[in-house]
């Protein structure tokens, strides 16, 4: 069945936010009672699932939504100086040129996403933006979107950089393109068995073209 909508995660997938989010997270460590991440620990953390990272931090589950809101609030002051992942802007324009409908579902704030897209000349490419989803709540938003848009799961594909993106897509029974340039490593993403695993934004165009025109 032809893909009608491509849904993107935002942080780490479209926007190159890893370094600034790491800095914000480290600055909030003492307030929320977890250890800051050292440069030496970054590669280790990238090899953990989102749930493993939360367990490792020791932050109580009930505090996670408060921490997430604080991180997003702090990001608002930095959003003006952030840029897309290298190669992503060209890939998005090409996907749009080919007639694909693009959207974003993210845990980040919708306003942050809009400011970023506007500043980087990308806002007109996206038909919708759903922000503020719970850290493990993307599948519910995806399901709501499918219902409202009267779409079958086979007509939608999700693009994300974290294991929780793969988890959400599988719960919603939609295909997932995992990208290795964001928050999780290629190794841990591969273990979660996404439908596709890519290393550069230009491969997005290749995968979507393959799905739109499958070999006979």
């Amino acid at each position: 069945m032809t893909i009608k909508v491509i849904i993107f995660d935002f942080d780490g997938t479209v926007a190159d936010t890893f370094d600034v989010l790491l800095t914000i997270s480290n600055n909030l460590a003492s307030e929320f009672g977890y250890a800051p991440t050292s440069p030496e620990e970054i590669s280790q953390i990238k090899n953990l699932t989102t749930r493993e990272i939360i367990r490792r931090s020791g932050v109580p589950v009930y505090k996670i939504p408060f921490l997430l809101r604080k991180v997003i609030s702090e990001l608002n002051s930095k959003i003006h100086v952030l840029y897309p992942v290298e190669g992503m802007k060209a890939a998005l324009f090409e996907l749009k040129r080919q007639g694909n409908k693009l959207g974003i579902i993210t845990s980040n704030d919708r306003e942050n996403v809009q400011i970023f897209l506007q500043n980087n000349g990308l806002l007109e490419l996206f038909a919708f933006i759903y922000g503020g989803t719970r850290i493990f709540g993307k599948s519910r938003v995806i399901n709501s979107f499918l219902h409202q848009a009267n779409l079958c799961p086979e007509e939608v594909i999700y693009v994300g950089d974290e294991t929780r993106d793969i988890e959400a897509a599988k719960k919603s029974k939609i295909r997932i393109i995992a990208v290795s340039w964001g928050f999780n490593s290629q190794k841990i993403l591969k273990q979660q068995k996404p439908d596709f695993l890519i290393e550069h934004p230009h491969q997005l165009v290749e995968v979507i073209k393959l799905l739109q025109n499958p070999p006979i």
Side-chain angles (χ1 to χ4, degrees):
M1 189 174 287
T2 302
I3 295 294
K4 292 184 178 179
V5 180
I6 308 169
I7 303 174
F8 289 83
D9 170 55
F10 178 69
D11 292 293
T13 300
V14 173
D16 187 3
T17 57
F18 181 84
D19 288 340
V20 68
L21 286 175
L22 180 63
T23 299
I24 292 171
S25 175
N26 282 346
N27 289 341
L28 294 173
S30 60
E31 180 179 345
F32 285 88
Y34 58 88
T37 302
S38 68
E40 295 75 26
E41 293 174 306
I42 291 175
S43 60
Q44 179 186 353
I45 287 176
K46 279 178 170 281
N47 280 320
L48 301 176
T49 68
T50 308
R51 295 180 187 277
E52 288 171 340
I53 291 171
I54 291 173
R55 285 197 295 270
R56 182 180 186 273
S57 73
V59 177
V61 174
Y62 75 89
K63 282 189 176 183
I64 296 298
F66 300 100
L67 173 59
L68 182 60
R69 282 200 290 271
K70 193 68 179 286
V71 169
I72 290 170
S73 176
E74 293 291 324
L75 182 62
N76 182 262
S77 64
K78 310 287 187 184
I79 204 75
H80 299 82
V81 296
L82 297 177
Y83 296 95
V85 169
E86 185 177 355
M88 177 57 73
K89 189 169 185 176
L92 290 171
F93 269 96
E94 179 59 21
L95 289 171
K96 184 69 173 181
R97 188 192 68 80
Q98 293 178 4
N100 296 289
K101 183 176 182 179
L102 313 180
I104 289 175
I105 293 179
T106 176
S107 301
N108 207 322
D109 185 74
R110 188 172 188 270
E111 181 183 359
N112 282 347
V113 177
Q114 287 181 311
I115 292 170
F116 173 88
L117 296 177
Q118 183 69 53
N119 289 348
N120 288 284
L122 297 171
L123 186 59
E124 74 278 5
L125 299 183
F126 292 92
F128 60 88
I129 302 167
Y130 293 102
T133 64
R134 294 180 182 178
I135 191 166
F136 292 110
K138 286 185 178 180
S139 62
R140 287 191 289 273
V141 180
I142 293 170
N143 292 342
S144 177
F145 168 73
L146 291 173
H147 177 71
Q148 292 174 13
N150 195 28
L151 290 167
C152 299
E154 295 81 8
E155 296 173 313
V156 178
I157 195 163
Y158 195 87
V159 183
D161 68 310
E162 296 183 65
T163 59
R164 65 189 176 107
D165 294 319
I166 300 174
E167 182 180 319
K170 288 185 175 182
K171 280 185 179 179
S172 295
K173 296 180 171 55
I174 65 173
R175 284 173 286 188
I176 172 78
I177 301 174
V179 304
S180 65
W181 57 76
F183 285 76
N184 275 139
S185 70
Q186 185 179 46
K187 177 183 177 182
I188 191 66
L189 291 171
K190 187 176 182 179
Q191 288 176 10
Q192 306 304 307
K193 296 180 169 47
D195 297 282
F196 303 91
L197 178 56
I198 62 174
E199 300 176 356
H200 191 278
H202 71 74
Q203 292 176 287
L204 274 172
V205 180
E206 298 169 6
V207 171
I208 297 301
K209 188 179 294 185
L210 176 65
L211 291 172
Q212 301 288 29
N213 302 284
I216 300 174

